[in-house]
């Protein structure tokens, strides 16, 4: 399987506030929306979708003004998944499956660009986004992003082991090499997506953490602004911190077998593109 690493949405937090405390270069750097495009042989699979074309055409309406202001989102046509798939010489109509880490606006914004794709998501996340339990959930998800009625394929946990985590294997219609690895916390149905590339595993950890330094094997660290941000946007604190600790262990103890990365780290994206 061939895997492409895409940035489908750049963000520049106002004044670099989220990244304060880091040396100059990192303080100025952007956050990205790291998505995967997987060529499976007979079709294309996306992992997360970024802001989408409507996020570029009508950002306030599609992504929400509070979100745009908070993270300094800069939707750009060239960064949409559709544009990048075309630039690779591939056809966006061949995207038959989309696997979602969760349904926040910066991940689900591009779903409507692939109306014929089956959208794989944890059942708990689907419930959170389509029947929000409280004001926080109502505000974080954008009903407009699901108005085209995606072809949902939802999963409750099946608990098959994967490096000490539980995983959901056998996603309908997808190769066995792509699994869900539930990482509850950031949202109630948040999940990682593991991909066996044939040359080792990738684990797209979504928003289970934001900053590459959080997985530093010896001295985990995170700028205070970005720590505060993760606290503000979390749904379930206990499970989030537990899963972060488990990811830290996984990245440290299995670094030869699994590459773990977050949805938003430009440093990890650059390293994986090399
Ligand atoms: Zn996110």
């Amino acid at each position: 399987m061939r895997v492409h690493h895409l940035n489908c949405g750049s963000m520049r937090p106002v004044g670099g506030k989220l990244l304060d405390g880091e040396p100059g270069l990192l303080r100025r750097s952007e956050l990205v929306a790291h998505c995967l495009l997987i060529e499976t042989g007979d079709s294309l699979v996306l992992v997360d979708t970024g802001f989408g074309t409507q996020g570029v055409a009508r950002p306030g309406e599609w992504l929400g003004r509070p979100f745009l202001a908070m993270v300094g989102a800069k939707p750009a046509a060239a960064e949409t998944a559709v544009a990048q798939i075309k630039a690779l010489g591939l056809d966006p109509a061949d995207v038959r499956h989309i696997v979602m880490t969760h349904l926040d606006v910066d991940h689900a914004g591009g779903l409507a660009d692939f109306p014929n794709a089956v959208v794989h998501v944890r059942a708990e996340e689907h419930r959170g986004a389509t029947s929000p339990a409280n004001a926080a959930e109502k505000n974080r998800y954008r009903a407009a992003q699901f108005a085209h009625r995606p072809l949902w394929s939802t999963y409750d946990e099946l608990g098959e082991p994967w490096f000490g985590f539980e995983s959901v294997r056998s996603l309908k219609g997808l190769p066995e090499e792509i699994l869900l690895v539930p990482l509850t916390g950031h949202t109630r149905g948040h999940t990682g997506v593991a991909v066996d590339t044939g040359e080792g595993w990738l684990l797209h950890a979504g928003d289970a953490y934001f900053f590459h330094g959080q997985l530093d094997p010896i001295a985990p660290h995170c700028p205070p602004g970005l720590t505060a941000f993760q606290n503000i946007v979390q749904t379930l604190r206990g499970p989030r911190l537990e899963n972060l600790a488990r990811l830290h262990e996984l990245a440290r103890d299995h670094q030869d077998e699994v590459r773990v990365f977050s949805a938003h780290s430009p440093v990890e994206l650059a390293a994986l593109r090399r």
Side-chain angles (χ1 to χ4, degrees):
M1 288 199 299
R2 182 143 185 233
V3 180
H4 304 272
H5 295 270
L6 313 179
N7 170 20
C8 297
S10 292
M11 293 160 261
R12 299 176 190 89
V14 185
K17 273 197 190 110
L18 294 180
L19 292 167
D20 58 4
E22 279 301 306
L25 180 66
L26 278 175
R27 192 166 60 239
R28 285 193 306 274
S29 69
E30 304 169 348
L31 300 180
V32 297
H34 190 156
C35 301
L36 302 180
L37 176 69
I38 306 169
E39 297 184 48
T40 66
D42 59 347
S43 73
L44 299 175
V45 179
L46 266 178
V47 177
D48 283 357
T49 68
F51 297 155
T53 57
Q54 299 195 64
V56 177
R58 43 186 188 123
E61 211 177 313
W62 195 248
L63 301 167
R65 285 175 221 292
F67 168 81
L68 288 173
M70 184 165 57
V71 302
K74 305 282 178 212
E79 285 184 350
T80 58
V82 166
Q84 293 183 75
I85 290 166
K86 286 184 186 159
L88 286 164
L90 300 167
D91 184 353
D94 288 336
V95 174
R96 308 247 160 74
H97 298 273
I98 302 175
V99 187
M100 296 299 297
T101 61
H102 62 303
L103 296 171
D104 273 349
V105 299
D106 49 326
H107 300 257
L111 283 178
D113 294 333
F114 306 95
N116 300 317
V118 175
V119 180
H120 304 263
V121 65
R122 281 178 69 199
E124 189 63 8
E125 184 68 11
H126 178 256
R127 281 191 284 273
T130 53
S131 346
N134 50 44
E137 281 190 346
K138 196 167 189 314
N139 290 331
R140 79 182 301 156
Y141 301 111
R142 302 288 293 179
Q145 294 185 348
F146 316 121
H148 64 290
R149 295 170 163 267
L151 308 170
W152 300 111
S153 185
T154 62
Y155 303 88
D156 286 303
E157 270 79 310
L158 299 174
E160 291 187 52
W162 183 82
F163 289 99
F165 289 78
E166 297 199 326
S167 74
V168 184
R169 290 179 192 246
S170 308
L171 305 181
K172 282 167 226 141
L174 280 172
E176 290 279 327
E177 287 87 355
I178 302 174
L179 349 163
L180 302 182
V181 180
L183 297 170
T184 301
H186 176 72
T187 61
R188 57 166 144 145
H190 183 274
T191 184
V193 180
V195 182
D196 184 357
T197 66
E199 297 163 1
W201 287 91
L202 294 171
L203 179 61
H204 188 313
D207 291 11
Y209 70 99
F210 275 60
F211 186 68
H212 65 281
Q214 289 177 278
L215 295 196
D216 186 297
I218 295 155
H221 62 286
C222 185
L226 207 46
T227 299
F229 182 72
Q230 292 178 81
N231 287 332
I232 291 166
V233 296
Q234 73 194 355
T235 300
L236 297 163
R237 179 175 179 78
R240 178 175 79 80
L241 295 178
E242 231 166 80
N243 281 322
L244 175 57
R246 295 166 75 212
L247 283 176
H248 182 262
E249 256 173 51
L250 173 73
R252 185 194 58 202
D253 299 345
H254 296 278
Q255 49 186 303
D256 295 338
E257 295 153 279
V258 188
R259 282 288 291 268
V260 184
F261 56 94
S262 117
H264 295 305
S265 165
V267 173
E268 291 170 342
L269 176 64
L272 281 156
R273 276 177 165 172
R274 270 201 294 272

